[in-house]
């Protein structure tokens, strides 16, 4: 994946830390990145629970979207093209023949304006010009990070002056073990979803919907990531012996737990889908704060609308018109199980 690595310098970077008792959240204006979250385990040890780097250069050289806002459209757009109001738009092909996470220079590569910064709140703004990565319309995005107690809420509002697709997400990689002491295969995950979207060999949704019952994609009562990743099931095998699958949500919280540290994460959202990605494509040629990167070192819970929705008639409409406002909201609530 080629990126424009000369556009952002360390001197352009603003690091802002939100604090509440028992939690610290560091956010960058580069990519709107959640660079670090530090919370306590059951013994009171404050440690990091996300994957991230200490320098802009490391993000530019190695990051698979660690902690970033991705868009204009998260996930893959098939064959890197779409039709909007009768016009076909070619997009940047940065994932084989497909368009991924907004293209070569998507929102994850952008420098946001800091509108407001406080100890419990950060407001960032981004202007995306007409034609950026092939998308039509000028788009203004406002992203607000609000910390209340042990809950971090990210809201995103966007407007456009021309009909354009918008389907944003936050791409934080979670690892609740603390300072990457262990991988995420023995994390326990609960997703209240009866239905998932099968993906092809290129990880693009097929357009079908399948029942999770009797498959390693059934997380309704909770399961270890390892139990599905090592199941040999065709779906998990196609995703690199792991997960890169969209699940349709019911409005109930998603819950991630690390039994060893006792840390838990509860995710609630206004989005209809969560993509579970278990880091199967993480490369091994760099370090993350002193720990060698490797597959399954972190997992993503990407809340959004169905991937490739702009090209799939059976999926929800993601086109935003000039008289509309796009709205995305997700809350990450941390806790500890003392059992």
């Amino acid at each position: 994946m080629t990126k424009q690595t000369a556009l952002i310098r360390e001197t352009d970077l603003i690091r802002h830390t939100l604090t509440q008792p028992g939690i610290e959240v560091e956010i960058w204006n580069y990519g709107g990145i959640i660079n670090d979250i530090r919370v306590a385990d059951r013994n009171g040890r404050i440690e990091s629970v996300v994957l991230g780097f200490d320098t802009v250069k490391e993000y530019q050289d190695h990051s698979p979207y660690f902690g970033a806002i991705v868009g204009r459209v998260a996930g893959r757009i098939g064959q890197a093209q779409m039709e909007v109001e009768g016009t076909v738009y070619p997009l940047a092909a940065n994932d084989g023949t497909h368009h991924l996470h907004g293209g070569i220079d998507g929102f994850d590569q952008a420098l946001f304006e800091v509108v407001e910064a406080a100890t419990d709140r950060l407001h960032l703004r981004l202007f995306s010009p007409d034609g950026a990565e092939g998308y039509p319309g000028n788009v203004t995005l406002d992203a607000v990070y609000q910390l209340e107690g042990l809950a971090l809420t990210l809201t995103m509002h966007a407007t456009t002056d021309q009909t354009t697709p918008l389907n944003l997400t936050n791409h934080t990689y979670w690892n609740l073990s603390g300072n990457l002491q262990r991988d995420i295969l023995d994390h326990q995950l609960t997703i209240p979803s009866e239905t998932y979207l099968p993906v092809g060999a290129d990880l693009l949704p097929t357009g079908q919907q399948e029942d999770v019952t009797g498959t390693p994609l059934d997380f309704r009562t909770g399961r270890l990531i390892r139990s599905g990743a090592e199941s040999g099931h065709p779906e998990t095998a196609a995703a690199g012996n792991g997960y890169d699958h969209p699940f349709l949500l019911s409005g109930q919280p998603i819950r991630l737990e690390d039994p060893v540290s006792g840390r838990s994460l509860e995710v609630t959202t206004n989005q209809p889908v969560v993509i579970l990605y278990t880091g199967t494509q993480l490369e091994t040629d760099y370090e993350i704060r002193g720990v060698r990167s490797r597959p399954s070192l972190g997992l993503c819970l990407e809340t959004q609308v169905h991937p490739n929705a702009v090209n799939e008639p059976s999926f929800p409409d993601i086109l935003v018109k000039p008289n509309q406002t796009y709205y995305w909201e997700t809350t990450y609530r941390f806790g500890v199980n003392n059992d």
Side-chain angles (χ1 to χ4, degrees), residues 183-185 240 278-284 293-298:
D183 62 30
I184 49 82
L185 290 174
T278 55
T280 52
Q281 298 182 56
L282 285 174
E283 298 178 351
T284 60
S293 176
R294 62 183 185 275
S296 303
L297 190 59

Side-chain angles (χ1 to χ4, degrees), residues 53-115:
F53 296 115
D54 293 326
T55 66
V56 169
K57 187 176 189 306
E58 287 174 289
Y59 277 102
Q60 293 174 327
D61 290 347
H62 303 299
S63 177
Y65 308 97
F66 285 160
I69 293 173
V70 295
R72 295 183 189 186
V73 174
R76 293 168 177 84
I77 294 179
Q79 302 308 313
Q81 69 174 27
M82 62 185 184
E83 183 176 332
V84 177
E85 297 182 334
T87 299
V88 174
Y89 291 89
L91 305 171
N94 60 322
D95 184 58
T97 60
H98 303 317
H99 177 85
L100 176 65
H101 287 332
I104 296 170
D105 285 305
F107 291 179
D108 65 297
Q109 295 287 299
L111 197 67
F112 286 65
E113 172 194 357
V114 176
V115 179

